[in-house]
Amino acid sequence: MTADEPAALRDLALDVAREAAALVRERRVGGATVADTKSSSVDVVTEADRASEDLIRRRLLEARPDDSVVGEEGDDHSGPSGVRWVIDPIDGTVNYVYGLPEYAVSIGAEVAGATVAAVVLNAATGTEYVAARGLGSTRDGVALRVRPSPPLAQRLVLTGFGYRTDVRAGQAARVARLLPRVRDIRRMGSCALDLCHVAEGSADGYVEEGPNAWDWSAGSLVATEAGARFGLLPGGLAAELGETGRKVVIAAPADGWDDFVALLEECGFVGRNPPSEVE
Ligand code: IPD
Ligand code: CA
Ligand code: CA
């Protein structure tokens, strides 16, 4: 990868995300219609999710036909270039359906498994979170920085829930242990935007077990380039459910990482295996 490639990938992702966000906004006029359900009756997909992903894939592969692409709503596409795009065409689909202005187009570009360029574009508000590895992250062109971490008892923590009822019951039990130990909890509804909120200093941390790469790929770079640490650790719930492969996704300002992770271990979010931080 040449030194200027992250910036070029970021600029392409931003052009494509702007086009997809316009489509997503346009399709919501008059209300979003649910096209199908996936893992459970509350895991919905709209026509706009599919149209947005089709558009993003088409535009990226027109510009860079040798790249690989993985997205939430389509089949994996494999190419020889070494660059893999990771797409969530709408992150926060339930908010989209209800008209809550917290849903985003998320596009990350990975090289050798690490995100090197990222765009998370809130399609409702137009706010653009953008990052390139080593070049920092911005919101609408202004550089982002995490907030200094207060003591744990004064931290505002973002979290999320999956769509399976057994998973949700386990997640709720962990949140019940965490809530009395921190300032408060927010469940905003978009993992990608949650990571951007940590980056911009509007939250002190994020934790959720089970999000997929398309949920966190772009947002993880926006967060780390703003001074956060990001990790995929063994999930406590995975151990309880006897499932391998589920990870707990954690982000926090670097100065608040160690005690946050220790607290999450006490509350059962993190499993007993030694943590394997990826960023
Ligand atoms: C969901 C959102 C949500 C998180 C879920 C994700 P979707 O993605 O990111 O905040 O809690 O785990 O599945 O379904 O809206 O693309
Ligand atoms: Ca998602
Ligand atoms: Ca989605």
Side-chain angles (χ1 to χ4, degrees), residues 56-102:
I56 295 166
R57 282 171 182 262
R58 201 167 56 245
R59 290 281 184 267
L60 291 175
L61 290 174
E62 274 165 14
R64 299 181 51 97
D66 290 339
D67 290 354
S68 301
V69 182
V70 45
E72 180 168 17
E73 311 299 344
D75 295 333
D76 294 0
H77 169 86
S78 179
S81 72
V83 172
R84 183 175 90 138
W85 294 96
V86 185
I87 301 165
D88 195 334
I90 303 178
D91 188 50
T93 292
V94 174
N95 287 341
Y96 181 66
V97 169
Y98 279 77
L100 288 169
E102 181 83 357

Side-chain angles (χ1 to χ4, degrees), residues 178-189:
L178 182 62
L179 181 55
R181 310 280 303 271
V182 295
R183 179 189 296 275
D184 212 339
I185 302 276
R186 295 285 182 274
R187 195 290 193 250
M188 311 286 284

Side-chain angles (χ1 to χ4, degrees), residues 66-151:
D66 290 339
D67 290 354
S68 301
V69 182
V70 45
E72 180 168 17
E73 311 299 344
D75 295 333
D76 294 0
H77 169 86
S78 179
S81 72
V83 172
R84 183 175 90 138
W85 294 96
V86 185
I87 301 165
D88 195 334
I90 303 178
D91 188 50
T93 292
V94 174
N95 287 341
Y96 181 66
V97 169
Y98 279 77
L100 288 169
E102 181 83 357
Y103 49 87
V105 172
S106 177
I107 303 178
E110 295 180 355
V111 174
T115 310
V116 299
V119 173
V120 178
L121 204 168
N122 182 326
T125 63
T127 305
E128 297 175 342
Y129 300 92
V130 171
R133 182 161 290 254
L135 299 175
S137 52
T138 57
R139 180 187 59 214
D140 295 337
V142 178
L144 291 179
R145 208 64 211 157
V146 294
R147 64 193 293 122
S149 293

Side-chain angles (χ1 to χ4, degrees), residues 6-225:
L9 294 170
R10 173 198 63 195
D11 295 348
L12 171 62
L14 182 56
D15 284 347
V16 174
R18 282 176 175 162
E19 218 184 313
L23 176 153
V24 166
R25 253 193 314 274
E26 224 166 79
R27 298 264 174 140
R28 213 192 164 277
V29 176
T33 42
V34 172
D36 210 348
T37 56
K38 298 188 285 185
S39 62
S40 78
S41 62
V42 291
D43 183 4
V44 296
V45 59
T46 68
E47 291 300 348
D49 289 88
R50 291 173 177 162
S52 171
E53 180 151 333
D54 287 350
L55 182 151
I56 295 166
R57 282 171 182 262
R58 201 167 56 245
R59 290 281 184 267
L60 291 175
L61 290 174
E62 274 165 14
R64 299 181 51 97
D66 290 339
D67 290 354
S68 301
V69 182
V70 45
E72 180 168 17
E73 311 299 344
D75 295 333
D76 294 0
H77 169 86
S78 179
S81 72
V83 172
R84 183 175 90 138
W85 294 96
V86 185
I87 301 165
D88 195 334
I90 303 178
D91 188 50
T93 292
V94 174
N95 287 341
Y96 181 66
V97 169
Y98 279 77
L100 288 169
E102 181 83 357
Y103 49 87
V105 172
S106 177
I107 303 178
E110 295 180 355
V111 174
T115 310
V116 299
V119 173
V120 178
L121 204 168
N122 182 326
T125 63
T127 305
E128 297 175 342
Y129 300 92
V130 171
R133 182 161 290 254
L135 299 175
S137 52
T138 57
R139 180 187 59 214
D140 295 337
V142 178
L144 291 179
R145 208 64 211 157
V146 294
R147 64 193 293 122
S149 293
L152 285 168
Q154 286 163 35
R155 291 197 202 162
L156 182 62
V157 177
L158 307 179
T159 193
F161 305 114
Y163 293 109
R164 273 171 40 194
T165 50
D166 57 340
V167 168
R168 287 177 163 202
Q171 288 171 323
R174 284 159 179 79
V175 169
R177 282 178 221 134
L178 182 62
L179 181 55
R181 310 280 303 271
V182 295
R183 179 189 296 275
D184 212 339
I185 302 276
R186 295 285 182 274
R187 195 290 193 250
M188 311 286 284
S190 160
C191 165
L193 287 169
D194 287 347
L195 292 166
C196 296
H197 293 322
V198 173
E200 70 190 355
S202 50
D204 296 301
Y206 165 75
V207 59
E208 180 177 351
E209 184 172 332
N212 292 293
W214 46 76
D215 298 309
W216 52 257
S217 175
S220 68
L221 186 68
V222 175
T224 54
E225 285 293 324

